[in-house]
Amino acid sequence: NAGVMQNPRHLVRRRGQEARLRCSPMKGHSHVYWYRQLPEEGLKFMVYLQKENIIDESGMPKERFSAEFPKEGPSILRIQQVVRGDSAAYFCASSPTWDRRQPEYFGPGTRLTVT
Amino acid sequence: DAKTTQPPSMDCAEGRAANLPCNHSTISGNEYVYWYRQIHSQGPQYIIHGLKNNETNEMASLIITEDRKSSTLILPHATLRDTAVYYCIVRGSQETSGSRLTFGEGTQLTVNP
């Protein structure tokens, strides 16, 4: 079984540009989570989505960040007008249900560098 | 979700068992104990989880005390590839309140040759 896939693995953007990070969940998984890991810091929850619905976005910065998980295709984390402080590793995870008895499985991450 | 406390670092000799402790004294009855690890800067890897019974899989064993206030992750025969940061996470079971994993500082396990 293919695991969670993320692309690109590395992304370089200049300040002010937009960054789009993609996440394809494991087969059969309809729940997606995004986490961010700033340099030398721990992983922080950002957003939890089901197909076409945002369930919990309490960890998302109020501005410039958005996420979607359309009926078809991967989940997208979008960062508009990137700043240097957005440089981080962004991890996506997926699970088959909301049931917390089911673990989340993580992808390899996208490392965003803002120059 | 309940807070967890782990030692910041531990060392283990290759081939020996690694026992990683975790305190979660405020855990609620419906909260699960999850363990993940992160090797270098890779994506976190799921290891094992449990509610109140001890659990074992191909990677590790999880021992949860009877009062559920603490647990121990056991890697029976540690290898150099097990060097990683290990996270103990307490997680609720409801769709909204338990919708996230809250990562703490974890324990840096170093397996020495």
Side-chain angles (χ1 to χ4, degrees):
Chain A
N1 285 333
V4 178
M5 299 177 69
Q6 292 188 249
N7 67 81
R9 296 291 303 277
H10 300 273
L11 182 62
V12 179
R13 284 287 178 265
R14 292 185 178 147
R15 281 180 297 170
Q17 291 185 318
E18 179 179 286
R20 281 183 176 240
L21 289 63
R22 293 175 182 75
C23 169
S24 296
M26 289 179 69
K27 186 176 181 180
H29 288 194
S30 58
H31 298 246
V32 164
Y33 316 80
W34 286 91
Y35 294 80
R36 177 169 68 172
Q37 188 168 33
L38 294 166
E40 306 304 322
E41 293 190 18
L43 288 130
K44 302 293 184 188
F45 167 81
M46 299 181 75
V47 63
Y48 163 35
L49 311 103
Q50 283 179 263
K51 286 284 188 179
E52 300 184 279
N53 287 304
I54 297 175
I55 306 300
D56 181 355
E57 57 181 344
S58 57
M60 287 279 269
K62 295 285 185 268
E63 298 176 347
R64 301 185 298 107
F65 285 72
S66 63
E68 63 176 8
F69 189 17
K71 187 177 180 181
E72 301 290 339
S75 175
I76 306 288
L77 180 67
R78 182 183 178 205
I79 311 172
Q80 296 178 286
Q81 298 176 314
V82 296
V83 300
R84 289 220 172 104
D86 296 332
S87 294
Y90 292 83
F91 295 99
C92 164
S94 74
S95 67
T97 74
W98 61 266
D99 191 336
R100 292 315 129 217
R101 289 172 288 186
Q102 296 284 340
E104 298 175 19
Y105 295 93
F106 283 79
T110 293
R111 274 131 191 99
L112 172 65
T113 302
V114 179
T115 62
Chain B
D1 295 339
K3 181 179 169 55
T4 62
T5 304
Q6 299 177 253
S9 64
M10 292 183 65
D11 285 287
C12 177
E14 189 177 19
R16 305 296 292 268
N19 298 290
L20 291 89
C22 178
N23 287 323
H24 31 78
S25 58
T26 61
I27 193 169
S28 300
N30 66 351
E31 290 181 318
Y32 287 77
V33 179
Y34 272 79
W35 284 83
Y36 282 80
R37 72 181 182 183
Q38 188 173 27
I39 298 172
H40 200 237
S41 298
Q42 298 176 22
Q45 180 185 22
Y46 164 75
I47 302 173
I48 199 167
H49 72 284
L51 183 62
K52 50 184 159 183
N53 297 321
N54 298 338
E55 301 287 345
T56 296
N57 62 20
E58 65 278 3
M59 287 184 68
S61 295
L62 173 60
I63 308 299
I64 302 174
T65 58
E66 193 168 344
D67 63 7
R68 304 209 323 122
K69 292 185 177 182
S70 66
S71 60
T72 301
L73 178 74
I74 301 172
L75 306 178
H77 305 286
T79 71
L80 299 179
R81 288 174 292 182
D82 291 322
T83 293
V85 179
Y86 286 76
Y87 298 98
C88 169
I89 300 167
V90 170
R91 193 177 189 203
S93 61
Q94 298 305 313
E95 182 173 8
T96 52
S97 66
S99 65
R100 71 187 72 179
L101 291 168
T102 302
F103 288 84
E105 299 295 319
T107 296
Q108 171 66 60
L109 175 68
T110 302
V111 180
N112 300 304

